[in-house]
C-alpha cells in the first residue's frame, strides 16, 4: 500500500506572526485609561502650574512603577484564567473577612467613580453649558452604553470603543504642546529628584496616588482573563491555555501591550504637566479644572481650550466605564453576586450625583476621592505581588526573584508615599 503523506501546514511568516501579535493587544490599553482619568488631570495640571518642571521625575517614576504593577495583574489573569478578586474570594475562607475585603474594595471603586463622573460633568459644562448634575447623569448614561457593548458583544468591541476614547484623550491633552512647546532644558532638569517645601511633596504623593489605582489592578486581571486567560491551574502542573496561543507567547504580547499603554498614559500625564508648566505658572485660578481650562483658552486660544475640554470629557467617559467594570468584577469575585450592570451603574452613580447636587467644588471632590483611593492601594498591591510569586498559583510562570523584589519595593514605596499624602492632608502641613 502506498504511503500517504500527511498535509504539512506552511510555516507562518514573520509578518503573519506580527499581525497575530497586534490582534492580541488591547486589555492593557483599556486598563490604562485609569492612568489618564480626571484625577490625574487635576494632579498634573496643579503640579505644573504651581511648581513648573520640578515634578517631572515623579510622573516618570510613577509610570515605571505602573508598568510593573499592571503587568503582574495581567499575567495573573492570563495564566490562571481568574481575576484578582476571584482568587482572593477563594482564599478568604471566612465570610466576614470576604465581606470586609469587598467593602473596602467597593468603597474604592465608588470613590473612583465619583472622580470620573465629576470630570465628565465638568467637561460637559465647559463644552455645552450643561448643569453639573445633568452632566453627571449623561456621563453615567454613556458609561451604561459602553458596558452594554461589553456585555452583549464581548471584550473586543468594548476595547475598541475605550481605545477610541483614549485617542481623544491623547489628542485633547497634548494638542497644546504643539502651540506652546516646553523648554527642553528645563524639562530635562525636572528629571532630577527633588522637592521644594511640603506643598511639592503633597503634589508628588497625589500624582503617585492618582497613577496607581486599585480598581485598575482588579480590572486588568479581569480584562486579560476575558480575552485570553487559561484554564484553572491543575495541582502539580501548568495551566492549560484556553486559546491556541501558548502562554509564553501571550505573556510576551502582554508585556508589549502594557508597554504601549504606559507609554501613551505616561506621555499624556507628562504632557499635561509640561503644558501647565509652560503656560500656567503665576496664573490665578488654575487650581481647578475650570480655571485651568479658562487659562489655557486665554493663553493658547479657544481651539486648544476646546480640545482640552474634549479630552477631559473622553477621559471621564472612558474611565467611568472601566471603573464600573472593575466594581462589577469585585462584587462577583468576592461575594459571588452578580447584579445587572444597569442597576449597579445607577447605584454607584448616586454618590457622584449627590456631591454635584450639594454644590461641592468639583476639583476639591476630585482631590478627596484620590485620598480615599490611597486607602485601597495596600489591599490590592500586596495580594497581587504575593499571588504572582507563588508557583501554586502561576506554575512555572511565577515571578522570578528579582520581579518579586521589585514588586515589594514598588508596593512599599507607594504605600509609604500615600501615607505621607494622608499625613500632610490631615495635618494641613
Amino acid at each position: 500500500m502506498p504511503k500517504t503523506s500527511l498535509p504539512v501546514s506552511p510555516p507562518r511568516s514573520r509578518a503573519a506572526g506580527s499581525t497575530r501579535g497586534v490582534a492580541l493587544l488591547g486589555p492593557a490599553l483599556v486598563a490604562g485609561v485609569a492612568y489618564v482619568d480626571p484625577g490625574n488631570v487635576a494632579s498634573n495640571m496643579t503640579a505644573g502650574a504651581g511648581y513648573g518642571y520640578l515634578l517631572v521625575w515623579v510622573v516618570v517614576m510613577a509610570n515605571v512603577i505602573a508598568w510593573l504593577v499592571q503587568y503582574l495583574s495581567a499575567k495573573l489573569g492570563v495564566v490562571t484564567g481568574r481575576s484578582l478578586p476571584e482568587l482572593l474570594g477563594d482564599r478568604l475562607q471566612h465570610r466576614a473577612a470576604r465581606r470586609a475585603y469587598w467593602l473596602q474594595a467597593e468603597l474604592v471603586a465608588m470613590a473612583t467613580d465619583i472622580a470620573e463622573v465629576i470630570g465628565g460633568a465638568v467637561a460637559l459644562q465647559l463644552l455645552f453649558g450643561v448643569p453639573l448634575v445633568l452632566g453627571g447623569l449623561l456621563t453615567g448614561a454613556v458609561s451604561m452604553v459602553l458596558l452594554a457593548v461589553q456585555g452583549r458583544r464581548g471584550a473586543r468591541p468594548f476595547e475598541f470603543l475605550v481605545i477610541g476614547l483614549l485617542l481623544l484623550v491623547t489628542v485633547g491633552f497634548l494638542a497644546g504642546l504643539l502651540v506652546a512647546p516646553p523648554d527642553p532644558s528645563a524639562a530635562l532638569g525636572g528629571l532630577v529628584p527633588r522637592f521644594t517645601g511640603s506643598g511639592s511633596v503633597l503634589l508628588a504623593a497625589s500624582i503617585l496616588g492618582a497613577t496607581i489605582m486599585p480598581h485598575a489592578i482588579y480590572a486588568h486581571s479581569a480584562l486579560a482573563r476575558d480575552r485570553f486567560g487559561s484554564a484553572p491551574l491543575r495541582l502539580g502542573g501548568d495551566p492549560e491555555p484556553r486559546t491556541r496561543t501558548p502562554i509564553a507567547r501571550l505573556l510576551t504580547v502582554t508585556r508589549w501591550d502594557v508597554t504601549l499603554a504606559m507609554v501613551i498614559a505616561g506621555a499624556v500625564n507628562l504632557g499635561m504637566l509640561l503644558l501647565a508648566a509652560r503656560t500656567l505658572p503665576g496664573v490665578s485660578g488654575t487650581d481647578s479644572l475650570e480655571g485651568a481650562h479658562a487659562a489655557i483658552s486665554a493663553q493658547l486660544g479657544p481651539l486648544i481650550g476646546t480640545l482640552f475640554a474634549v479630552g477631559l470629557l473622553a477621559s471621564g467617559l472612558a474611565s467611568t466605564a472601566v471603573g464600573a467594570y472593575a466594581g462589577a468584577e469585585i462584587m462577583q469575585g468576592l461575594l459571588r453576586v452578580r447584579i445587572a450592570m444597569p442597576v449597579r451603574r445607577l447605584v454607584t452613580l448616586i454618590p457622584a450625583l449627590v456631591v454635584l447636587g450639594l454644590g461641592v467644588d468639583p476639583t476639591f471632590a476630585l482631590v478627596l476621592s484620590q485620598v480615599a483611593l490611597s486607602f485601597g492601594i495596600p489591599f490590592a498591591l500586596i495580594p497581587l505581588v504575593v499571588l504572582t510569586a507563588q508557583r501554586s498559583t502561576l506554575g512555572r510562570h511565577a515571578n522570578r526573584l528579582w520581579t518579586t523584589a521589585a514588586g515589594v519595593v514598588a508596593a512599599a514605596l507607594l504605600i509609604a508615599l500615600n501615607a505621607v499624602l494622608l499625613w500632610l492632608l490631615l495635618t494641613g502641613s
Side-chain angles (χ1 to χ4, degrees):
M1 179 179 287
K3 287 186 178 180
T4 302
S5 59
L6 295 173
V8 179
S9 300
R12 282 196 316 168
S13 67
R14 184 171 298 179
S18 300
T19 303
R20 174 62 177 161
V22 171
L24 294 173
L25 299 176
L29 290 168
V30 175
V33 165
Y35 295 95
V36 290
D37 77 343
N40 292 86
V41 179
S43 297
N44 290 312
M45 297 299 290
T46 303
Y51 293 94
Y53 301 97
L54 180 71
L55 299 179
V56 166
W57 67 275
V58 178
V59 176
V60 174
M61 182 178 70
N63 230 57
V64 172
I65 296 173
W67 186 96
L68 175 63
V69 172
Q70 292 308 132
Y71 172 67
L72 293 180
S73 177
K75 181 168 78 167
L76 190 68
V78 168
V79 177
T80 66
R82 316 282 303 279
S83 69
L84 178 58
E86 286 177 321
L87 291 169
L88 290 174
D90 288 344
R91 283 160 173 75
L92 294 172
Q93 298 295 324
H94 296 288
R95 182 179 299 179
R98 205 162 49 243
R99 288 180 175 176
Y101 189 97
W102 164 78
L103 181 60
Q104 64 79 28
E106 191 69 53
L107 290 174
V108 162
M110 292 180 74
T112 303
D113 217 30
I114 289 174
E116 293 157 351
V117 171
I118 287 175
V122 170
L124 286 171
Q125 186 178 67
L126 294 174
L127 287 169
F128 308 111
V130 176
L132 287 176
V133 175
L134 178 58
L137 282 170
L138 291 173
T139 302
V142 173
S143 70
M144 285 186 190
V145 173
L146 293 173
L147 291 167
V149 170
Q150 195 275 339
R152 296 182 181 181
R153 307 295 292 273
R156 199 59 172 160
F158 178 67
E159 288 174 7
F160 282 135
L161 287 173
V162 174
I163 291 170
L165 290 171
L166 179 61
L167 291 177
L168 285 178
V169 172
T170 304
V171 172
F173 290 146
L174 297 185
L177 292 178
L178 299 176
V179 179
D183 180 352
S185 61
L188 287 174
L191 292 173
V192 179
R194 63 192 189 280
F195 295 107
T196 302
S198 61
S200 63
V201 178
L202 175 62
L203 275 172
S206 298
I207 291 171
L208 283 162
T211 300
I212 309 296
M213 291 189 173
H215 82 283
I217 300 173
Y218 299 128
H220 201 169
S221 61
L223 289 164
R225 173 206 62 195
D226 291 348
R227 274 293 302 279
F228 34 62
S230 307
L233 184 68
R234 297 172 300 163
L235 185 63
D238 276 340
E240 295 284 346
R242 288 207 314 260
T243 67
R244 293 184 178 181
T245 307
I247 290 179
R249 168 68 171 160
L250 288 176
L251 292 178
T252 299
V253 173
T254 296
R255 284 191 287 271
W256 282 106
D257 194 21
V258 174
T259 300
L260 177 60
M262 292 301 100
V263 166
I264 294 173
V268 172
N269 281 312
L270 187 58
M272 286 187 284
L273 189 148
L274 294 176
L275 179 64
R278 171 69 173 79
T279 61
L280 302 184
V283 180
S284 61
T286 55
D287 54 348
S288 69
L289 292 175
E290 300 91 335
H293 170 262
I296 288 172
S297 299
Q299 298 271 342
L300 305 180
L303 175 60
I304 300 300
T306 299
L307 288 174
F308 177 85
V310 169
L312 181 61
L313 177 61
S315 168
L317 294 176
S319 56
T320 194
V322 174
Y325 172 89
E329 183 61 36
I330 289 167
M331 176 172 283
Q332 182 181 340
L334 290 166
L335 299 185
R336 314 299 201 273
V337 173
R338 182 188 292 272
I339 297 177
M341 191 60 76
V343 175
R344 180 183 169 81
R345 171 76 278 192
L346 286 172
V347 171
T348 56
L349 192 59
I350 291 173
L353 296 178
V354 170
V355 170
L356 293 172
L358 291 175
V360 178
D361 177 67
T363 305
F364 178 70
L366 280 173
V367 172
L368 286 183
S369 71
Q370 303 309 302
V371 173
L373 288 176
S374 68
F375 284 105
I377 288 178
F379 295 100
L381 266 182
I382 294 174
L384 176 67
V385 174
V386 171
L387 287 172
T388 53
Q390 294 175 343
R391 288 190 66 85
S392 59
T393 304
L394 296 188
R396 64 187 179 88
H397 302 288
N399 296 342
R400 295 179 180 177
L401 180 60
W402 72 266
T403 305
T404 300
V408 170
V409 171
L413 178 62
L414 285 168
I415 292 167
L417 283 172
N418 277 278
V420 171
L421 168 63
L422 291 174
W423 181 79
L424 289 172
L425 287 173
L426 292 174
T427 60
S429 301

